[in-house]
Amino acid sequence: MECDDVDEFPMLGDGQEDLGATVASRFRNSQALEHRHLCAAVEAMAQVLKDQNLPPSPTAYFAATMTSLERQASDQSSAADDEPVAAALCTFLSMVLPKVSQAVLRSKWEATLDSLVKFLKRNSVSAGTAKFGMKCISYLLTTGDKSNWLLVESAYGILLNYATDRRPKVRKRAHLCLEEVLRSYQCSSILVKASEGVEKIFEQFLLIAGGSNFVGTIGKPQVTSNGANGAMEVVYILNALKVIAPLLSKKVISKLLPHFQLLLQLRQPFLTSHVMSVLHALCISPTAELPASGLADLLGWLCLVVFDDQKSGDVIMFAARVLQHGMGKVHDLDQNLCADKLPAIFHSLAGVLAFQHEEAIHGASEALQHLVQNCIDEEMIKQGLNQLNLDGAKPAPIERICTTAESLLGHEYNTAWDIALKVISTLFEKLGESSCFLMGGVLRNLADLQKLADEDLTCRKQLHKCVGSAVAAMGPDKFLDILPLNLDCEELSESNIWLLPILKQHIVGGRLKFFTDNILGLVDRLHEKSKMLEVEGRPVASRNTQACVHALWSLLPSFCNYPIDTAQNFLDLAKKLRASLLKELDLRGIICSSLQNKKAQEEALDSLSSLEQVEGLEISLAEQRAKSRYNSKIASENMKILRKISPEFLSTLFTIFMSSPQDKRGYLQATIADIASVADKEVVKHFFIRAMQKLLKVTQEATKSGHARKSSMEVDGSNNEQTTASTRAQLLDLAVSLLQGLDVEAVNMLFAATKPALQDDEGLVQKKAYKVLVGILKEHGDFMTNNLDEIFELMVTTMPSCHFSAKRHRLDCLQYLIIHILMTGEERKNGGIAFFLSEIILAVKESNKKTRSRAYDLLVKIGHCLEDTENGGSQEKLHKFFNMVVGCLAGNTPHMISAAVTGIARLMYEFSELCLSVPDLLPSAFMLLKSNNREVIKATLGLMKVVIARLQAEDLQKHLKSMVDGLLLWSADRKTHFKAKVRLLLEMLIRKCGLEAVKVVMPEQHVKLLANIRKVNERKEKRRNSVSQDKLDETKSSHSHATTTRQSKWNHTKIFSEFGDEDDDDSDADMDFTQTTHSGIMSSVPKSKSSTLRSKNVRKSNKRLPDDLDVLGNEPLDLLDKQKTRSMLKGQQRKGQRSDSDDEMILDPDGRLVINEDEVGHSRKRRATDNGIRQDIDSRSQRSGQSKSHATSASLSKASNKRQKTAKSGWAYTGTEYKNKKAGGDVNREGKLEPYAYWPLDAKMLNRRDEKRSIAKKGLANVMKLSKQLQGKSVRQALSEKTTAQKRKQKSHNGKNKRKSS
């Protein structure tokens, strides 16, 4: 359809071309009548200009158009007949005016404006003429003189008159033009006059409507009597005010608000809706100037009109939004007035939560939370607290708001308690510590709700979250004053034990003194109570009390979360913590985690920059308040306290660490490290020397006595016996913990003690020694600079004796060493770097998965460190490192060559641009495909997979010939699975470069392979297209999301697998991230098939209503009605739970159920067949997944058919021979086994390992074989044969033993 509005026309150039020709060419082929008139008028003017030898410039067209319009205005005889021409002229003029120069326009501005006004004042003006005429007037008013109101008054009046026109399009154009004009008048002196014009016309029509049946004519545009004309005009003006009201002057807006109040008092939904729209526009406008008192009064009337009448849900929701923004505006204008009006508004919105409209409830909830967050300020809270202390004073506004919030917990709001609890939580957070004085009743009511049964309280999770907000706001001490735990009462059921998890989760900024005095005091009382209960012979009650003690101790980490009295009361708490560490084994983890959190927070807040960084994070309001109390001075004082108590804690933890088993040392070691980092250097050195003396003593004992080493299989195991090796390892762990607090002398001493341990025969000692060396290189960067030669020589010397369990930590040492040498440019160490680099490269072929993964990570980390320009890296250093890795291809053994290829593939996967930095790399790598070593071929194919996925198509084109030739060398390989891998790589090349490009370089004898690939892909595409559109869209959206947003890790097995899995079909798409940058350590990797299936299952399970939902009758299902929806879903569930048979139950005359044995046998047979198929599918799905999916489905169908044939033709046990013909049940048959012999379930059948499942299947196979041998025999015969066989076997065994002895 052709466009009929100038706004929809395309841009007509910059004014240099022939405007008439452009318009004519644009609309010449249009079938619209108005477009034909436009073309005719334009062509006529162009011909006139041509006849007069005038250029077709915008100025010439402007003059010709205005001349024609003036002629049309003066000729009144044929106005109706010439109206299409007038519309065409106005349309063209609206196009010409923006192209005319401002100088010409200023000279003709007044005359042009007068002509347009006279033209539009005619009696019969068409809609097209009016629309484009107003557009011309709007342009002239916005660009002309804005200082003289008399010059623009008549033109502005034209716009106001058309704002109440009966034609909707004309009226809409007038509203838009008024908005443009008023927006241009914002900074001019005539804004007041223009605004008064709007006010006058609005009051005029209000007076006209007031004299008629105003209410009866609202919403009836067909009314045309003179007495009722003003009603619809009022509505038209209201529609205009939705757009222009924010642009009017403050004086006029103040006069309009009482009129709006008058319209609201009529309680007409049609008028109320329009008034709310105007109010909403005024309230959301940042520039509108409103009187605070008038707006507040109007909002109060809005509450009475809308909420008392309980309008529809949409109306109430919109009214709540208007109140939300309106009260925010009032608060910005006058905070005292807002405080006076807010309780009534809050009460009205709170009443909406008892309504039945879901949208109204959510709208009111959002408005209430917004009012609490933005309209309640500190002054309002302070005033409320002051009035609480005055006797006989009326309730303060904030107190009235809290009373309203408390009423939300009444049973009349029980259907919306979950929504009301969010409002109360917001109020708790806003009031902060003052909530203990204002919200005590609310908190007690929340405790009463907790006592309700689950069926009466469906929002218990929201309730606990609300109580947690109260804990965070009030603080634990004031919270527990209002709602005590009462754990020392006679019965725990009468206590508030349910508060303990909430306190643990939400305490922040508490007082350590309260924990020391109150919580630990309660712990002591509970200890005594537990002992007394044990004496009284009540062990269950005693254990429950001890559980409460542990729960109270678990609050310690929360109390250490930004406490406000660390400097004053942490010393007293520290004494009790040390005593508990020595006595209570179960509390050590809690105490250690508390100390770690405390140290981490104080260290982060010790510097102002760290404080600013912490405050920039998104955290809760309570945590923001707690952190706001901190500054660098307070944090520094707290650090002094931690430093003061560090000697005692180090001594205690040192003792505990040496006496603890290996599995209990993790948190102790971390705690020692944290305390050592803040302690004085001399204190840490004292404990370090003690540890070194013990280490020296134990080492000497091990050397002298030749203590038996552990076997290599027990290196990482846990052993409670304090052998010499484990003691040495324990002391080395302790040394690692103290590293952060050691000075240079102590570090040198530790390094000297570590050197002999690196060559120790015991793997556990080696492992710990390498961890010490890693810690030294990480924490003390200057140590490597000063001792580079010694470390270098040590790493070379210890390489042959490195135990496999210590390999990972040795690789970490090599990482720091290589990065340091490459960053500092030590040329004399390049040979050693190559030696160490080859060790890392060989580690990627390790059988240990952790070591292999660590080697891959080290290659990537080294590359990123060398690339980081902020820390002295550069692209040259990265390329140098990559060239050293490429140099490993010159290895002497196939194992080294394959490892080098694997390392190159990992680096190219992370840094795809490195592939182009070495021009001869890819041709040399492709030459490796001519090797006869399978290990090298496997690695090279994996490299090719990375190259295809990571490089751009134009870069692959350069090497396409050599790649295809190399791949085809293994296209017929049948000994291994390289054939499938080659086919997969060719498919990836086709998808990346195109079929034709690959076909050009493909030898003629292998062209059939391409044809086969194309046919297979076409079949797959057809199968995809056969899927329903819903599933197809779901698959596409899932794949798109995964390939663009997900990130995964390097998958060694997938890339270097010998098999061509089906889930690798899209591997090139998943791995193709050449458009992304590689600034981070992690890179994006493909999405697996299992994750795709999992996401599909999640989406299917998320469907709340089934697609085939049956609705009773012809009435549609109301999805907003929870009761109807739930009943319908329950009906569908019951429908889905019916049995396969649709027959009704058969009852005998006595009322007993009659079962058809034939149908039961048939159903059992069918279930047995289905279960067999399902078990076979499960067993196949647990395998390595290295066969094609279509082969799997074919084998499954073949297995299914085989079972069906067996069931039809072969013998199958059905139990029919035991069927009782006269009654139900089974009977014993003479000469037969007992019915229903069972084979017990074996857990090994579910094991993922094939060898374990095969063992279980052997037992089952023996049972089946034995059952066939004993078929048709009685129990006595079967047992006699079994006894005879056992005797025969025992006799033959004894004979063999005799022959051996002789």
Side-chain angles (χ1 to χ4, degrees):
M1 181 178 179
E2 296 292 339
C3 52
D4 59 352
D5 200 343
V6 174
D7 291 341
E8 300 176 2
F9 292 164
M11 294 299 294
L12 298 178
D14 56 359
Q16 301 298 327
E17 72 280 356
D18 186 354
L19 189 60
T22 304
V23 173
S25 62
R26 171 66 179 85
F27 300 105
R28 183 176 291 113
N29 298 324
S30 175
Q31 300 299 320
L33 187 60
E34 57 271 19
H35 292 168
R36 291 186 177 183
H37 288 298
L38 176 62
C39 292
V42 171
E43 290 173 355
M45 284 187 289
Q47 186 62 39
V48 171
L49 295 178
K50 184 177 181 182
D51 294 342
Q52 297 179 2
N53 294 324
L54 295 175
S57 62
T59 303
Y61 278 117
F62 169 65
T65 306
M66 289 306 302
T67 303
S68 300
L69 282 175
E70 290 174 356
R71 189 183 301 115
Q72 287 283 332
S74 61
D75 188 7
Q76 300 291 337
S77 59
S78 58
D81 298 335
D82 293 340
E83 194 59 33
V85 178
L89 291 174
C90 289
T91 303
F92 187 63
L93 182 61
S94 67
M95 300 178 188
V96 171
L97 281 176
K99 307 296 182 182
V100 180
S101 65
Q102 291 298 317
V104 174
L105 204 58
R106 279 194 298 269
S107 63
K108 299 293 182 180
W109 179 79
E110 187 174 353
T112 304
L113 198 60
D114 291 340
S115 300
L116 287 172
V117 169
K118 293 178 182 178
F119 188 75
L120 293 178
K121 280 185 177 180
R122 297 180 304 160
N123 294 329
S124 59
V125 178
S126 65
T129 304
K131 286 194 302 178
F132 296 110
M134 285 188 292
K135 187 173 179 66
C136 296
I137 290 178
S138 172
Y139 181 77
L140 292 172
L141 290 178
T142 55
T143 58
D145 187 8
K146 300 182 179 64
S147 59
N148 192 346
W149 170 249
L150 297 178
L151 294 177
V152 301
E153 183 178 7
S154 58
Y156 186 76
I158 291 292
L159 298 180
L160 287 177
N161 291 334
Y162 278 111
T164 58
D165 194 272
R166 295 283 179 172
R167 293 166 292 187
K169 289 188 177 181
V170 176
R171 198 165 59 244
K172 180 180 179 182
R173 170 60 62 186
H175 297 169
L176 296 176
C177 291
L178 282 172
E179 181 187 10
E180 293 176 1
V181 173
L182 288 172
R183 195 176 298 279
S184 67
Y185 289 172
Q186 288 302 300
C187 298
S188 64
S189 59
I190 61 176
L191 175 62
V192 176
K193 293 291 186 180
S195 301
E196 289 176 352
V198 177
E199 178 199 355
K200 289 179 181 178
I201 192 173
F202 184 49
E203 291 178 346
Q204 174 187 349
F205 287 115
L206 275 178
L207 291 174
I208 297 174
S212 64
N213 186 10
F214 182 59
V215 176
T217 56
I218 290 298
K220 298 179 181 180
Q222 71 275 11
V223 176
T224 57
S225 63
N226 294 331
N229 279 343
M232 288 309 300
E233 275 73 5
V234 171
V235 177
Y236 296 156
I237 294 296
L238 287 175
N239 283 328
L241 288 174
K242 295 177 186 178
V243 181
I244 66 176
L247 304 174
L248 300 178
S249 64
K250 181 179 181 180
K251 179 180 178 181
V252 171
I253 294 177
S254 302
K255 293 181 179 180
L256 290 177
L257 293 183
H259 298 313
F260 294 157
Q261 182 175 335
L262 175 64
L263 294 176
L264 286 177
Q265 291 175 4
L266 297 176
R267 295 181 181 267
Q268 293 298 312
F270 189 72
L271 278 177
T272 302
S273 176
H274 283 76
V275 172
M276 284 195 302
S277 299
V278 177
L279 272 179
H280 185 257
L282 286 171
C283 294
I284 65 175
S285 175
T287 59
E289 298 181 2
L290 299 169
S293 58
L295 179 59
D297 294 339
L298 190 59
L299 294 176
W301 269 103
L302 182 62
C303 291
L304 295 176
V305 171
V306 177
F307 298 151
D308 290 352
D309 296 344
Q310 295 193 17
K311 309 289 184 181
S312 65
D314 294 334
V315 174
I316 296 175
M317 182 177 66
F318 187 59
R321 190 177 296 121
V322 173
L323 291 173
Q324 169 185 334
H325 296 291
M327 289 305 297
K329 199 80 170 179
V330 173
H331 180 266
D332 296 338
L333 297 172
D334 190 343
Q335 296 182 4
N336 294 329
L337 180 62
C338 178
D340 293 337
K341 299 292 184 180
L342 185 59
I345 302 293
F346 193 89
H347 181 77
S348 299
L349 285 171
V352 178
L353 299 184
F355 291 178
Q356 299 299 320
H357 307 287
E358 286 288 336
E359 59 273 19
I361 293 174
H362 287 284
S365 172
E366 293 179 3
L368 287 170
Q369 294 180 62
H370 185 273
L371 293 179
V372 169
Q373 293 172 348
N374 297 280
C375 297
I376 297 178
D377 50 23
E378 294 296 331
E379 185 64 28
M380 186 177 180
I381 298 173
K382 184 177 180 180
Q383 180 184 359
L385 295 178
N386 293 334
Q387 290 190 12
L388 285 176
N389 300 326
L390 299 178
D391 297 333
K394 65 177 182 178
I398 188 62
E399 188 177 357
R400 292 165 58 192
I401 292 175
C402 295
T403 303
T404 302
E406 184 176 356
S407 67
L408 293 177
L409 300 178
H411 284 278
E412 63 270 22
Y413 297 97
N414 61 346
T415 57
W417 271 343
D418 54 339
I419 306 295
L421 289 172
K422 294 181 180 179
V423 178
I424 296 174
S425 297
T426 307
L427 190 55
F428 271 122
E429 293 175 356
K430 186 65 179 181
L431 295 177
E433 293 183 355
S434 302
S435 58
C436 63
F437 304 104
L438 298 169
M439 301 279 284
V442 175
L443 187 58
R444 296 184 188 92
N445 287 340
L446 292 175
D448 294 336
L449 288 182
Q450 171 65 23
K451 299 176 182 179
L452 296 177
D454 290 338
E455 56 269 15
D456 297 328
L457 183 67
T458 59
C459 54
R460 198 174 299 275
K461 182 178 180 181
Q462 290 85 346
L463 172 63
H464 290 176
K465 187 175 181 180
C466 183
V467 175
S469 302
V471 172
M474 296 180 181
D477 46 352
K478 297 176 181 177
F479 176 87
L480 292 176
D481 287 342
I482 300 174
L483 201 63
L485 292 172
N486 295 330
L487 293 180
D488 49 358
C489 61
E490 292 296 329
E491 296 293 336
L492 283 178
S493 58
E494 300 176 0
S495 66
N496 291 321
I497 194 173
W498 59 278
L499 290 175
L500 290 175
I502 300 175
L503 290 169
K504 180 180 178 181
Q505 185 178 358
H506 293 92
I507 289 178
V508 57
R511 300 178 185 273
L512 296 177
K513 182 175 178 58
F514 179 79
F515 182 84
T516 305
D517 297 342
N518 295 72
I519 302 298
L520 293 186
L522 179 59
V523 166
D524 295 338
R525 294 196 300 272
L526 291 178
H527 267 305
E528 296 297 330
K529 180 180 178 181
S530 176
K531 294 178 181 178
M532 182 179 64
L533 292 173
E534 190 72 29
V535 173
E536 293 176 357
R538 299 167 61 185
V540 176
S542 176
R543 286 194 295 269
N544 291 338
T545 306
Q546 285 296 330
C548 293
V549 170
H550 192 275
L552 289 172
W553 268 106
S554 65
L555 300 179
L556 176 62
S558 302
F559 274 93
C560 291
N561 190 14
Y562 300 105
I564 62 178
D565 58 344
T566 301
Q568 296 80 16
N569 299 297
F570 191 70
L571 290 177
D572 296 335
L573 177 61
K575 296 178 182 178
K576 297 188 176 183
L577 295 182
R578 287 182 55 218
S580 300
L581 278 173
L582 294 172
K583 297 179 182 178
E584 304 290 342
L585 301 180
D586 297 338
L587 301 179
R588 289 176 179 175
I590 295 175
I591 297 174
C592 288
S593 64
S594 304
L595 293 174
Q596 293 175 40
N597 294 340
K598 183 62 182 169
K599 179 262 175 183
Q601 291 177 358
E602 298 297 344
E603 192 175 42
L605 298 175
D606 193 19
S607 62
L608 185 60
S609 59
S610 299
L611 180 62
E612 293 174 351
Q613 183 179 2
V614 171
E615 287 182 347
L617 300 177
E618 292 185 1
I619 55 178
S620 64
L621 187 60
E623 193 167 351
Q624 291 179 14
R625 287 198 185 102
K627 291 179 179 178
S628 65
R629 303 188 186 103
Y630 276 76
N631 52 41
S632 57
K633 181 180 179 180
I634 295 177
S636 178
E637 292 177 356
N638 293 345
M639 290 294 291
K640 291 180 181 178
I641 296 297
L642 293 179
R643 192 174 295 111
K644 185 176 181 180
I645 65 170
S646 59
E648 292 81 5
F649 270 102
L650 283 176
S651 177
T652 303
L653 292 172
F654 190 98
T655 305
I656 297 173
F657 183 84
M658 295 305 298
S659 60
S660 299
Q662 184 174 354
D663 57 343
K664 301 292 185 182
R665 298 176 198 158
Y667 57 85
L668 293 171
Q669 188 175 357
T671 308
I672 293 173
D674 286 339
I675 296 179
S677 64
V678 300
D680 292 331
K681 299 289 184 181
E682 295 298 327
V683 174
V684 179
K685 187 175 181 180
H686 168 72
F687 289 100
F688 171 74
I689 292 175
R690 287 176 52 188
M692 290 298 99
Q693 290 174 350
K694 289 187 178 182
L695 177 62
L696 178 61
K697 181 179 179 181
V698 176
T699 305
Q700 291 174 350
E701 292 177 358
T703 304
K704 292 179 181 179
S705 62
H707 193 278
R709 271 69 172 178
K710 291 184 179 181
S711 63
S712 59
M713 297 299 292
E714 297 175 344
V715 170
D716 290 326
S718 161
N719 189 5
N720 292 327
E721 289 186 40
Q722 293 297 312
T723 61
T724 304
S726 61
T727 304
R728 293 172 64 191
Q730 189 175 8
L731 291 170
L732 289 173
D733 277 337
L734 187 60
V736 172
S737 303
L738 299 174
L739 261 175
Q740 297 184 32
L742 298 180
D743 55 13
V744 177
E745 181 182 358
V747 171
N748 293 329
M749 186 188 306
L750 178 60
F751 178 68
T754 305
K755 287 194 292 185
L758 293 174
Q759 301 179 4
D760 196 273
D761 295 336
E762 188 64 46
L764 179 60
V765 177
Q766 265 195 41
K767 178 179 177 181
K768 301 301 181 182
Y770 275 111
K771 289 181 69 175
V772 172
L773 185 57
V774 171
I776 293 175
L777 299 179
K778 181 180 179 181
E779 300 293 339
H780 301 272
D782 296 337
F783 180 82
M784 181 181 294
T785 304
N786 300 330
N787 301 274
L788 181 61
D789 294 335
E790 187 175 359
I791 297 174
F792 190 90
E793 182 180 357
L794 179 64
M795 298 305 296
V796 173
T797 306
T798 56
M799 188 267 180
S801 60
C802 179
H803 197 271
F804 74 89
S805 63
K807 193 72 173 178
R808 288 186 290 124
H809 305 290
R810 176 178 170 84
L811 293 178
D812 290 334
C813 297
L814 296 180
Q815 171 197 346
Y816 293 107
L817 190 60
I818 292 174
I819 291 176
H820 177 79
I821 293 175
L822 290 177
M823 294 292 284
T824 55
E826 292 280 349
E827 298 293 339
R828 56 191 178 89
K829 301 292 184 181
N830 285 342
I833 291 180
F835 177 76
F836 295 143
L837 191 58
S838 63
E839 183 177 354
I840 297 177
I841 293 296
L842 285 173
V844 302
K845 305 290 288 185
E846 286 280 347
S847 58
N848 189 300
K849 184 178 179 180
K850 291 184 178 179
T851 304
R852 188 171 65 244
S853 300
R854 183 64 59 87
Y856 282 130
D857 293 340
L858 290 184
L859 288 175
V860 175
K861 288 180 181 179
I862 293 173
H864 281 292
C865 289
L866 296 176
E867 188 188 30
D868 188 6
T869 56
E870 296 181 357
N871 296 321
S874 62
Q875 287 292 329
E876 291 76 12
K877 294 179 180 179
L878 176 62
H879 292 164
K880 180 181 178 181
F881 170 68
F882 183 68
N883 290 332
M884 297 178 71
V885 176
V886 173
C888 296
L889 288 174
N892 297 327
T893 62
H895 186 73
M896 182 64 193
I897 295 174
S898 65
V901 173
T902 305
I904 293 171
R906 180 64 184 99
L907 287 174
M908 288 178 59
Y909 185 87
E910 192 73 18
F911 311 95
S912 58
E913 66 277 3
L914 290 178
C915 182
L916 305 178
S917 64
V918 183
D920 298 332
L921 172 61
L922 292 183
S924 302
F926 299 152
M927 290 295 294
L928 294 175
L929 290 173
K930 297 181 180 180
S931 173
N932 294 326
N933 188 274
R934 303 271 173 184
E935 187 179 6
V936 175
I937 299 302
K938 178 181 176 182
T940 307
L941 291 177
L943 173 63
M944 292 187 69
K945 185 174 183 180
V946 174
V947 169
I948 295 171
R950 301 293 282 163
L951 289 187
Q952 297 284 0
E954 53 269 19
D955 296 327
L956 285 176
Q957 295 281 358
K958 304 174 184 178
H959 307 282
L960 193 58
K961 174 66 176 175
S962 57
M963 291 178 69
V964 172
D965 292 342
L967 288 174
L968 293 177
L969 294 176
W970 298 95
S971 61
D973 180 73
R974 297 183 182 277
K975 295 182 180 179
T976 60
H977 296 273
F978 290 157
K979 181 178 180 180
K981 188 78 171 182
V982 168
R983 184 185 179 94
L984 171 65
L985 294 176
L986 287 175
E987 291 179 359
M988 292 174 63
L989 275 176
I990 292 172
R991 286 195 292 268
K992 201 70 175 283
C993 302
L995 180 62
E996 294 300 327
V998 179
K999 189 175 182 180
V1000 170
V1001 299
M1002 179 73 73
E1004 186 176 356
Q1005 62 270 24
H1006 295 285
V1007 174
K1008 293 182 179 180
L1009 178 59
L1010 290 181
N1012 180 261
I1013 292 175
R1014 178 180 56 81
K1015 291 179 180 179
V1016 171
N1017 290 335
E1018 289 177 354
R1019 294 193 196 103
K1020 289 182 180 179
E1021 189 65 26
K1022 289 181 180 179
R1023 284 199 296 268
R1024 293 192 191 103
N1025 294 335
S1026 63
V1027 183
S1028 63
Q1029 189 63 30
D1030 293 339
K1031 293 183 179 179
L1032 183 61
D1033 294 341
E1034 184 180 4
T1035 305
K1036 287 182 179 179
S1037 63
S1038 172
H1039 178 72
S1040 173
H1041 175 73
T1043 56
T1044 57
T1045 62
R1046 286 193 57 194
Q1047 289 186 347
S1048 56
K1049 298 180 180 179
W1050 165 266
N1051 193 331
H1052 168 87
T1053 305
K1054 185 173 183 179
I1055 293 177
F1056 295 104
S1057 173
E1058 296 180 357
F1059 304 95
D1061 300 340
E1062 187 191 15
D1063 57 357
D1064 284 343
D1065 289 347
D1066 296 328
S1067 59
D1068 60 330
D1070 294 333
M1071 294 168 58
D1072 189 10
F1073 294 93
T1074 54
Q1075 300 296 331
T1076 61
T1077 58
H1078 306 287
S1079 59
I1081 298 295
M1082 300 298 295
S1083 60
S1084 300
V1085 203
K1087 171 186 177 185
S1088 63
K1089 183 179 179 182
S1090 60
S1091 62
T1092 304
L1093 296 176
R1094 195 182 308 115
S1095 62
K1096 288 182 180 180
N1097 293 334
V1098 169
R1099 282 192 297 274
K1100 290 180 180 179
S1101 64
N1102 284 338
K1103 290 183 178 180
R1104 306 300 298 270
L1105 294 176
D1107 296 334
D1108 56 346
L1109 183 65
D1110 293 332
V1111 182
L1112 298 177
N1114 297 324
E1115 184 180 356
L1117 176 63
D1118 184 6
L1119 297 179
L1120 297 179
D1121 191 334
K1122 293 183 178 180
Q1123 187 174 2
K1124 291 183 179 179
T1125 306
R1126 289 171 181 169
S1127 61
M1128 185 60 66
L1129 285 172
K1130 290 180 180 179
Q1132 290 291 322
Q1133 293 174 359
R1134 288 193 295 268
K1135 181 179 178 181
Q1137 293 173 356
R1138 294 174 183 171
S1139 60
D1140 295 335
S1141 177
D1142 293 334
D1143 297 337
E1144 297 182 357
M1145 295 184 296
I1146 303 175
L1147 303 176
D1148 62 1
D1150 297 332
R1152 290 178 295 184
L1153 181 65
V1154 178
I1155 299 176
N1156 192 335
E1157 292 286 347
D1158 295 334
E1159 292 183 359
V1160 173
H1162 178 68
S1163 63
R1164 286 176 179 172
K1165 184 190 299 183
R1166 183 172 65 252
R1167 283 198 298 270
T1169 304
D1170 294 341
N1171 289 336
I1173 298 174
R1174 206 158 31 240
Q1175 289 175 3
D1176 188 73
I1177 293 174
D1178 292 341
S1179 63
R1180 290 172 182 268
S1181 64
Q1182 292 172 355
R1183 296 177 182 173
S1184 61
Q1186 297 173 343
S1187 59
K1188 297 282 186 178
S1189 64
H1190 59 81
T1192 304
S1193 60
S1195 62
L1196 292 178
S1197 61
K1198 186 183 295 184
S1200 175
N1201 294 334
K1202 184 176 180 180
R1203 288 188 187 88
Q1204 292 175 1
K1205 292 179 181 179
T1206 304
K1208 291 180 180 178
S1209 59
W1211 178 86
Y1213 178 76
T1214 60
T1216 53
E1217 63 268 26
Y1218 300 104
K1219 180 180 177 181
N1220 193 343
K1221 298 180 180 179
K1222 298 181 180 180
D1226 299 320
V1227 295
N1228 292 326
R1229 299 294 185 187
E1230 186 178 357
K1232 297 286 186 179
L1233 295 174
E1234 294 181 3
Y1236 295 108
Y1238 294 94
W1239 171 253
L1241 292 176
D1242 193 347
K1244 295 179 181 177
M1245 293 290 291
L1246 304 178
N1247 200 300
R1248 290 181 293 179
R1249 298 182 180 179
D1250 292 337
E1251 60 269 17
K1252 297 291 185 181
R1253 288 200 306 271
S1254 62
I1255 294 174
K1257 290 180 180 179
K1258 286 181 181 179
L1260 185 59
N1262 293 334
V1263 173
M1264 300 303 295
K1265 185 185 298 184
L1266 184 61
S1267 65
K1268 291 182 179 179
Q1269 294 177 358
L1270 301 178
Q1271 181 180 354
K1273 298 181 180 180
S1274 63
V1275 178
R1276 182 178 299 175
Q1277 292 175 346
L1279 292 176
S1280 62
E1281 289 185 2
K1282 182 178 180 181
T1283 304
T1284 305
Q1286 290 179 349
K1287 291 181 178 179
R1288 190 182 303 113
K1289 185 176 181 180
Q1290 183 66 27
K1291 185 176 181 181
S1292 62
H1293 180 70
N1294 294 335
K1296 289 181 181 179
N1297 292 337
K1298 289 181 180 179
R1299 285 194 298 270
K1300 288 182 181 180
S1301 60
S1302 62

